[in-house]
Amino acid sequence: MSRIIDGKLFAQRLREFIGQQVAIIKTEHGVVPGLATILVGQNPASEVYVRNKARQTVEAGMASFKHTLDATISQAELLGLIAELNANEDVHGILVQLPLPAHISAERVINAIDPRKDVDGFHVSNVGMLGTGQPAMLPCTPLGCMMLLREQFGSLTGKNALVVGRSNIVGKPMAQLLLADDCTVTIAHRYSENLEEHCRRADILVMAVGKPQMIPGTWIKPGATVIDVGINRIERNGKPTLVGDVDFTSASEVAGAITPVPGGVGPMTIACLLLNTLTAFCRSKGMPEPANSGLELVNGIGVIQEFKKAS
Ligand code: NDP
């Protein structure tokens, strides 16, 4: 039976660590980091995500600036709001909730955010910095996955890592981060052949596809670490249920460690958004960063060391 990687607990500790840092900054400097969220339209899932992000921002002691816009807003108006937030010194992070309505170019909007405030790590400059080993703002979900992996392994050097999925927000940056951590990385996508063989060789399997339970336990290398990013809504016994891209029941018989869905990667994503906001704040003020963020990846490690000291 696998070790269950408790992302919920890790994320809670990370949020507590961030809250402590924010409290110290507030006491010593009389200011707090601020995160602006922009939600366009009425997508119910996006509304829940933005509400949770704003709530956890406030719980960490940061300022939250919520902008809820009508789906009919023009691209020019949205770009105008982003320009205002770029110039606002109380705002250190800007998050535009995706997807955007079809008449607005997500690329244009994301690339209009000041890269120093791009706490999602999606701006083309941050993507380029990540790819070239410079200190980037790292995308939240892959950053959260790396923290969980670092906690599991310490060093990832030389591990065979398979990332299934190549989206700009999860798969590609995840692969870059694993590469930066000296893994041998394979990226699979819908046209990949022999996925089962690739899976069987992987010491680390990161699933980021969005297909319920597509990987059975029989495909997993015994003792491997499985990070399941997928979030899929299915019906089980007539009830709506969340499952990952991996068949958890059979996989947990074989894997050495596995993230559950829910309670694995998901909670880490928001915690890393808060961490990125704190990092952006510290960089804007020339203060030491909370945990050595940047490509050394040790955004994760720094936090883990802090936890070890604290516990
Ligand atoms: P995308 O739809 O953007 O990308 C999915 C990727 O999966 C694509 O690269 C696609 O390949 C690949 N793919 C599709 N079918 C197959 C297949 N049969 N075999 C191998 N690869 C396949 O999704 P995201 O990256 O945005 O999200 C992936 C999952 O992660 C979703 O379930 C999403 O809900 C979840 N998610 C969870 C987060 C969290 O916080 N836990 C955060 C973000 C996402 P191709 O490029 O060839 O089309």
Side-chain angles (χ1 to χ4, degrees), residues 254-306:
V254 186
I258 184 166
T259 57
V261 178
V265 174
M268 291 299 291
T269 297
I270 301 188
C272 287
L273 173 71
L274 303 182
L275 182 64
N276 278 350
T277 305
L278 177 58
T279 300
F281 170 88
C282 292
R283 288 181 184 170
S284 77
K285 304 284 181 201
M287 291 178 186
E289 289 177 25
N292 278 334
S293 44
L295 186 63
E296 288 111 51
L297 244 224
V298 218
N299 218 333
I301 286 231
V303 170
I304 289 163
Q305 284 171 349
E306 290 292 336

Side-chain angles (χ1 to χ4, degrees), residues 141 164-167 169-170 188-191 195 208-211 214 229-232 265-266 269:
T141 300
V164 188
R166 57 172 168 181
S167 71
I169 64 170
V170 189
H189 44 77
R190 75 177 70 235
Y191 303 106
L195 185 58
V209 172
K211 288 213 175 354
M214 70 176 272
V229 181
I231 301 177
N232 308 288
V265 174
T269 297

